[in-house]
Amino acid sequence: MASPQRILVLGASFGGGDWPPLAAVTVGLHQAGHAVQCFGDPAIAQEFASAGIAVEVVRAEATLAPEAFGPLPLRVWAEACLPAVCALASDFRPQVVVSQLFTSELARLTKAACGVRWCCINPAYYFGPDSLRPFEADFAEPWQPKKELRQAIGEADLVLHATDALFDPPPPSFPRHHH
């Protein structure tokens, strides 16, 4: 194994199926000997407690609830959480930030503010450039964060898609930093 890394994980249990792939990667990194610190909501803290992963819990008033934030819920939430995450990053000094799709805007802002590399775990199909599946197919009105998510993901250093080429064929021009 390469030398252990310090990894800051940004998680939110909102959205149900969005965060289990992030949880699997987080537990795997922890079990592989990496120092993992998580910033997440109380549900994530409870899930990671049995694995011995440290979680800095999001303030109750900043818990991700997109219906409460208007047209750009992920951006508003990310901006509210950024000072706490930057303070955590300053203390923990991570080499990489790992996020799920719904925390991608927070990870994007953290990358810019703290100068740390970012890996995004996409819980589903590929939706980047030349995607064979329309992004709108999985995000119903009134909340369609397509522009917000695509912009954020576009700045990730690495994107891991929790899908399989058998069911989700990659486009002919699959970006080199997407796997």
Side-chain angles (χ1 to χ4, degrees):
M1 177 177 100
S3 63
Q5 300 286 305
R6 287 183 313 280
I7 300 165
L8 177 59
V9 176
L10 305 176
S13 62
F14 169 80
D18 181 57
W19 78 277
L22 175 71
V25 168
T26 301
V27 170
L29 290 167
H30 177 71
Q31 290 175 343
H34 298 286
V36 178
Q37 171 73 54
C38 184
F39 179 83
D41 59 34
I44 287 182
Q46 182 178 3
E47 291 294 327
F48 286 161
S50 63
I53 298 172
V55 178
E56 179 79 19
V57 179
V58 177
R59 298 180 332 272
E61 63 273 15
T63 299
L64 183 55
E67 65 279 358
F69 293 123
L72 294 173
L74 299 178
R75 183 162 302 142
V76 171
W77 177 79
E79 289 170 352
C81 293
L82 185 61
V85 171
C86 286
L88 183 60
S90 177
D91 292 342
F92 184 61
R93 304 172 134 227
Q95 280 105 351
V96 66
V97 170
V98 178
S99 78
Q100 65 195 84
L101 194 59
F102 284 140
T103 59
S104 60
E105 180 64 15
L106 178 56
R108 183 186 74 78
L109 293 174
T110 302
K111 174 185 175 177
C114 301
V116 62
R117 294 175 298 148
W118 166 36
C119 172
C120 184
I121 310 295
N122 174 19
Y125 66 93
Y126 170 76
F127 62 84
D130 299 325
S131 176
L132 301 177
R133 179 180 174 92
F135 186 77
E136 295 79 8
D138 289 311
F139 288 93
E141 293 289 346
W143 192 63
Q144 287 193 330
K146 56 186 170 241
K147 289 180 185 175
E148 199 175 356
L149 291 174
R150 284 184 180 169
Q151 178 185 4
I153 296 292
E155 296 181 33
D157 297 294
L158 175 65
V159 181
L160 301 176
H161 300 277
T163 188
D164 188 288
L166 179 65
F167 303 105
D168 183 23
S173 61
F174 200 62
R176 290 176 41 177
H177 67 292
H178 286 240
H179 299 279

